[in-house]
Every structure is written in structure tokens, then in C-alpha cells.
Amino acid sequence: MKLIRFTNVETLRDEIFKNTLEQFILVQLDDKKITFDDNFQHRMEEVSADSDASITYCAFREKDGDKIIPHPVIDYQFGSVRDDFDFGSVVLLNAADVLAASENFTSEESDSPDGGWYALRLRMSIGKTVAALPEFLYTVEKVDFRKSGDKQHDYVNPRNSFYQAHMERVFSDYLADIDGLVSLTPTRPDISAGEFPVTASVIIPVRNRVATVRDAVISALKQKADFDFNVIVVDNASTDGTREAVESIIDPRLVLINVREDEMLGIGGCWNKALLSKYCGRFAIQLDSDDIYPSDDVITKIVNKFYEDRCAMVIGSYAMTDFDLNPIPPGVIDHKEWTALNGANNALRINGFGAPRAFFTPIARNILFPNVSYGEDYAMGLRVSREYAIGRIYEPIYCCRRWNGNSDADLSIEKVNQHNEYKDFLRSVELIARIRANVEK
């Protein structure tokens, strides 16, 4: 079987028509040097035929000098709709499904920055099997040596804005095809309803961050506002002196909630502890224990945005810095791809909403966070955006510090896959819920 280097959908269709007797077409998605195992083609075709798969892909190995590094892949779910889903370098496509899915392709889709691959694979996945072999069947030369923490912001890099805008249009068309678009007129809650001990609470979940937690707490306590606020630190059974560091800060506005080890809470569970406590204010505002507010007017800007937009959630922008607050690439992360009309839809395509995040407490209490330590904020954002308006602040109001203690600075491929698989699961659940809501209207 001939290996076809993917350039665009039109060329792929031409190759299929030249080989009309072939059931499958083998496509390379990048320009890496590939060495196939002896049984690669047989195994891929066998699994594709037996499972009636539209797209088949497999695990592979990466060659880094003299080292061979296994690169597992994850299963394709209904919610695997992000445009950077990792298929590896090679996919086996069902030729008939390619033709059917691309029959009504526009010239804009075929001439897109990725040649139409994203649009094609979304269409080919509708009602069809996408098969992932957990078997290592080929080896490629490793070319991207960046750490996971350096890669995770590629999708908001301003240099990629044209590409991202195009992918958003493709994804929105796909959502329309499967009846998954959310309403253009989101609900605006009555944010003056209810009684609360304070207007705002800064919530800081923490576990073993003695090197940074005091900086975070002090930056929150230094906020100036014409309303009452407090700072709720949820210490998740720290053993390195974090709790004692917080206790050393004497301020009546500081609330410390101690979590026992046997409660087995993740970050999401710690957030729920704070949200459901009697101390939580009308608005719950995020601050990670690694990070700080760069000025004393951050929570005022966030609370003002709640009242200006009558929204259920406010998301700001942040600057990437080193431990000493010196700017580092990629600089400011502002998520300017968000639009009031389509942000809630495009949020399913990308891997995050931005930071800092803040919530109208009654709505957050009704939803609650999943008890995990990765993706808990994304889950909340998806659920809120399904129904409610979200306000955005595009100036940086938060310093996200990168240092050796960051939990996501340099992750293994197994951990990256675990994170991506969980977010794909969240997207699957959210997509199904949105489709059901549209059908029931």
C-alpha cells in the first residue's frame, strides 16, 4: 500500500480515485522520518476491517539519538474534538468514508492552514468508529523537545491566531451538524440575590507549597476594595510546613480550612469545601498557591465585571513569569479568541478557559467541582458556559509563576495522555448534554 503524505483533502480524494479498488488509504500527517514494523500494514488493516473503523491509528515509538521512547496514544472519544488530538504520524483511513465525508467540502476548507484535516476527521467520526491500537507499530524521529509546560499554551500563542480562528469556524460548523451549538442568548442570573457573609472570597487550595503560599495569601490580603472580602485557604493535609506558614499570617479576614488526609480531596474537592462553607462570599475568586495578584485592585475589577455583565463566571488574563516575577514566554495569556457569541461553543475545542476564574457562588454551589486535581476548573467552565453568561477581562490581572515545583512543568507522555483523556471525557459529557438540551427544546 502506498503511503500518502497529507497536503489537503482535494489531493487525498484524487489519490483515492486513482486507486478505486483499495479499501483503505494510508496517510502520513507530518514530515517525520518513519520506520514501520514488519506487520504494521497487516495489523492496521485487520483492526480497521474487523471494527469497521473510519480512522485507525496506533501507538508508536520516538527515536531520540540512541534512545527509543514509547509514545502511547489514547482512545478517541465523542469529545475528542480538540484540533491537536494526537493521532501520531500515520493514520489508516477508510477510502469510502473519506469520499463521503469530503463530498461537500468547500474550497475554504480544502485550502485551510491544515489542508482540511480537522474538518475531515470531525466529519469522518460522526456515527463511525475511530480505532486506536494500543500497540507500538512504527518508530519516528523525535523533533519536538520542549517540556509539556512549554507546549500547553500553543493554542493561545498570538502567532497562531489565524490558524485558531479557522479551526473555530470548522468546529462551529461541526457542532451545527450534530446539533450541539449552545444558545446565543445565555441566562444572566440575579447576582444580587441571597445573603452572604462578605461580597467576595479569594479561595486558595494548597498542598505542600511552603515556598509560595505566603506570597499568594499576602497578595490577596493586600487587595483594596470598597466591599468586604476574605481569603479562604484550604490546606489539603500538607506535611511540609504549609499550614504553619499560613497560620503565621495574622489577619481577621484570613480563614484556614484544614483537610484531613483521609478525606482524599483533590483541588476540586478543596474548592467545594470553601464554596460550601459558611465563610464563602457572594463571589468566589481563584488564586493558586503558586501565583500572586500583581496589583491591589484585582478583586475589585472582577467584582465590577460581575455587576457590569450580570454573568455567572468571570475569567481574567494572566502573565507568565518566573519565580521572581520576570516575564517569560509566551507572555500574556488573554484568550482573546473568546467572543460573546461563540466562546461557549469554541471552549469545547480548546483546552482551557483562562485565569483567574471567579464564580457567582450560588451557581457554583449548585454545580460543584469534580474531585480531581486536573481539569476541575475546565469542567466547571464548560457547565457554566452551557447555560450562563461569562464575563471576560483581557488585561493581565494575575501572575502565573513557573518554577521547578510546578506540578505541570514537565510531564511524561503518560501523564499528558491522562490529562487529555480526562478533558476529552468532560467534553463528551458536555456535548451529549448540549445535544440533549437542543433536542428537548
Side-chain angles (χ1 to χ4, degrees):
M1 179 185 297
K2 181 181 178 183
L3 177 64
I4 305 299
R5 172 72 170 90
F6 184 84
T7 54
N8 58 59
V9 171
E10 185 176 350
T11 301
L12 186 63
R13 286 175 60 88
D14 289 342
E15 288 291 338
I16 292 173
F17 285 128
K18 291 177 185 176
N19 301 276
T20 56
L21 298 181
E22 295 287 345
Q23 181 181 359
F24 305 108
I25 185 166
L26 188 63
V27 178
Q28 182 173 352
L29 300 175
D30 55 35
D31 57 1
K32 297 177 183 177
K33 181 181 178 182
I34 303 175
T35 303
F36 293 107
D37 290 11
D38 290 341
N39 68 334
F40 168 82
Q41 181 175 327
H42 172 81
R43 185 62 177 146
M44 292 281 281
E45 290 185 358
E46 179 182 48
V47 170
S48 184
D50 287 348
S51 62
D52 192 25
S54 187
I55 303 171
T56 305
Y57 60 105
C58 68
F60 56 98
R61 312 174 200 88
E62 290 184 298
K63 190 174 187 298
D64 179 5
D66 295 331
K67 292 189 298 183
I68 300 295
I69 306 165
H71 189 114
V73 293
I74 62 176
D75 286 336
Y76 193 97
Q77 305 178 51
F78 183 49
S80 298
V81 291
R82 51 196 166 84
D83 54 83
D84 63 350
F85 185 87
D86 184 10
F87 289 97
S89 293
V90 181
V91 291
L92 186 71
L93 306 180
N94 182 293
D97 290 342
V98 171
L99 296 178
S102 61
E103 184 176 6
N104 297 317
F105 250 53
T106 65
S107 58
E108 180 186 9
E109 287 173 315
S110 191
D111 294 337
S112 67
D114 70 338
W117 165 246
Y118 183 47
L120 178 67
R121 64 98 161 170
L122 286 177
R123 292 189 191 183
M124 290 182 68
S125 69
I126 298 176
K128 302 291 291 188
T129 298
V130 179
L133 281 73
E135 304 166 15
F136 301 90
L137 298 179
Y138 63 91
T139 302
V140 298
E141 296 287 338
K142 186 177 179 67
V143 295
D144 191 346
F145 295 92
R146 294 177 299 160
K147 296 179 179 180
S148 62
D150 298 328
K151 298 177 186 178
Q152 69 179 26
H153 295 110
D154 285 352
Y155 68 101
V156 289
N157 189 319
R159 290 177 297 177
N160 299 327
S161 59
F162 174 77
Y163 175 88
Q164 292 297 330
H166 186 92
M167 295 303 107
E168 178 178 356
R169 291 194 296 272
V170 169
F171 182 59
S172 297
D173 290 343
Y174 167 75
L175 287 179
D177 289 342
I178 64 173
D179 205 11
L181 290 169
V182 297
S183 170
L184 298 181
T185 54
T187 300
R188 297 189 180 274
D190 179 5
I191 58 175
S192 298
E195 298 291 332
F196 298 89
V198 292
T199 297
S201 292
V202 176
I203 295 177
I204 307 176
V206 61
R207 181 179 176 91
N208 293 336
R209 286 291 185 268
V210 69
T212 59
V213 69
R214 279 182 59 88
D215 293 343
V217 173
I218 290 171
S219 81
L221 290 172
K222 283 184 175 178
Q223 294 296 298
K224 295 178 181 178
D226 59 4
F227 50 81
D228 292 334
F229 70 93
N230 61 19
V231 178
I232 303 175
V233 177
V234 184
D235 180 59
N236 194 5
S238 292
T239 59
D240 70 340
T242 290
R243 183 171 301 180
E244 292 78 8
V246 175
E247 290 174 336
S248 71
I249 302 172
I250 308 303
D251 192 303
R253 299 168 299 169
L254 177 59
V255 177
L256 176 60
I257 298 176
N258 292 321
V259 175
R260 302 186 315 274
E261 186 73 39
D262 63 6
E263 292 183 76
M264 295 180 285
L265 297 187
I267 294 174
C270 290
W271 256 94
N272 294 337
K273 276 272 190 183
L275 280 171
L276 298 173
S277 77
K278 64 182 180 181
Y279 308 106
C280 192
R282 182 179 301 277
F283 306 111
I285 304 174
Q286 170 237 353
L287 178 58
D288 287 347
S289 59
D290 296 279
D291 305 326
I292 67 169
Y293 296 139
S295 62
D296 61 12
D297 59 353
V298 171
I299 67 171
T300 294
K301 290 178 179 178
I302 291 172
V303 169
N304 286 345
K305 176 58 72 170
F306 272 111
Y307 285 108
E308 289 169 8
D309 289 6
R310 285 181 51 228
C311 51
M313 180 176 177
V314 170
I315 307 171
S317 303
Y318 60 95
M320 298 294 298
T321 74
D322 62 17
F323 189 86
D324 297 318
L325 304 182
N326 299 304
I328 59 174
V332 174
I333 308 297
D334 53 24
H335 283 269
K336 284 188 177 179
E337 82 285 343
W338 177 276
T339 63
L341 287 178
N342 202 49
N345 293 310
N346 193 45
L348 282 163
R349 182 185 65 86
I350 61 179
N351 249 356
F353 280 79
R357 298 164 288 273
F359 309 93
F360 179 42
T361 296
I363 289 175
R365 282 175 171 171
N366 184 55
I367 298 171
L368 294 181
F369 289 85
N371 183 31
V372 296
S373 292
Y374 177 83
E376 76 290 337
D377 50 350
Y378 187 61
M380 177 65 80
L382 286 177
R383 177 60 188 88
V384 171
S385 68
R386 183 199 313 171
E387 186 175 354
Y388 298 100
I390 292 180
R392 305 292 308 217
I393 298 174
Y394 291 112
E395 62 180 286
I397 56 173
Y398 190 89
C399 288
C400 182
R401 295 200 287 181
R402 279 275 178 239
W403 61 296
N404 292 335
N406 284 137
S407 57
D408 61 351
D410 188 14
L411 303 179
S412 67
I413 182 58
E414 289 79 9
K415 181 60 71 171
V416 170
N417 281 349
Q418 180 184 344
H419 286 176
N420 283 330
E421 192 166 33
Y422 182 65
K423 283 195 173 180
D424 285 354
F425 161 75
L426 294 175
R427 295 182 184 97
S428 296
V429 173
E430 186 62 29
L431 265 175
I432 292 169
R434 294 182 182 198
I435 293 169
R436 288 184 61 192
N438 288 335
V439 171
E440 292 169 1
K441 285 180 181 178

